[in-house]
Amino acid sequence: MQFARLAQHHLRGIRVVLNVLLILALLYTITLIKGLLIPLVLAAFIGVALNPIVAAAARRRVPRWLSASVLMVALITGIGTGIGLLAQPAVGWFHDAPTAVKNFVPKLRAFTQPFEAANRATQSLVGGQAARTPARPATVAIDAWDVLASTPKVLAAVLTVVLLVFFFLIYGDAMLRRLVEIAPNFGYKRHAVSIVRSIQTEVSRYILTTLLINLVLGLLTAGMLWAYKVPDPLLWGAVAMLANFIPYVGAITTTTVLALVGLMNFNEAGQALLPALTFAGITAVEGNLITPFIQGRRMRLSPVAILLWLLVWGWLWGIPGALLAVPMLTSVKLVAERVRGWRWFAMLVQR
């Protein structure tokens, strides 16, 4: 009896070690093939979000390839128009960055002078001398060759996402039906169909709702910046919209950027910080009132789980991982709620 307990204890230890090694191997594999997985995951989410539109058109006897083609043309046209409107202001900001930094440093010294005076007083009290180091002008340079070298990779990634979304919209339902057919009996098939359809519907609703909320936030931000006479309000509104896909971190980053932009363009501290403070108020209302009310309690996630998930996927995939982290966590939560043995994970990440 004692030997059996000892053997069972050793088996548990071996199982824990094997599970840890399996997790490390998965993380290494995910990092190694991120160039393949990031377009695939992005295309899967876009396809899931647009699939209800194609399915509704198919119920009205519109061929899936036709509705998918119209959707893709509209999506590419909209994104291309947005990039065309924002490319010139973005390039202008990068081009004028060295001059803006040189003009920004004297303004920043007006805020840091009290701290420098306190530092010099402290140094004189302890009998030392405050070391003065000449400030070096910051330089921002963009190499044209680097841009040209990275262009084929970007175009290949965009083309991959477009083709994957197009084929997901056309053949996605057929692939799901074939996967369901693998189930051993009718009960399993019905359960699998229920899980797939419910997850598809809820994930699509979540993605489209989040996109609409972020779009409204971007428009409000652009209108607020236009009212405050901040240059290129559409550019910073687009930055706010994209950054808001990263909870907490995106709002903090955008607030910091708007504070820097305000300090670069205005001389008075109150006028310079007003856009950032207004944006912080808008995001506070959006994050604490509007989004929870629209999304509902079932779609709310724990802030600790979100931050840990962002940390992991940002470390693995960088900025694309941070942008895709919350949709992936929401999808995993929805799957875990319906799979026996994994409901503990859904309860763990839910607020």
Side-chain angles (χ1 to χ4, degrees), residues 148-170:
L148 291 176
S150 61
T151 299
K153 296 180 181 179
V154 174
L155 292 178
V158 171
L159 182 61
T160 301
V161 172
V162 170
L163 291 177
L164 285 173
V165 172
F166 182 70
F167 287 118
F168 280 159
L169 292 176
I170 297 177

Side-chain angles (χ1 to χ4, degrees), residues 216-226 233 236-237 240 254 258 279 282:
V216 173
L217 176 67
L219 292 176
L220 287 176
T221 304
M224 176 266 296
L225 296 176
W226 175 81
W236 306 118
T254 306
L258 291 181
F279 177 79
I282 294 174

Side-chain angles (χ1 to χ4, degrees), residues 116-133:
E116 293 178 356
N119 184 30
R120 287 194 296 268
T122 304
Q123 292 289 337
S124 62
L125 287 176
V126 298
Q129 271 189 337
R132 295 185 179 180
T133 57

Side-chain angles (χ1 to χ4, degrees), residues 188-236:
Y188 280 103
K189 291 180 181 180
R190 185 175 59 182
H191 186 59
V193 170
S194 174
I195 291 176
V196 170
R197 292 303 181 194
S198 60
I199 290 173
Q200 192 177 44
T201 302
E202 293 190 28
V203 171
S204 174
R205 185 184 300 119
Y206 168 78
I207 294 174
L208 291 177
T209 305
T210 304
L211 178 62
L212 181 61
I213 292 173
N214 293 345
L215 178 61
V216 173
L217 176 67
L219 292 176
L220 287 176
T221 304
M224 176 266 296
L225 296 176
W226 175 81
Y228 289 150
K229 298 182 180 180
V230 177
D232 301 319
L234 288 178
L235 174 63
W236 306 118

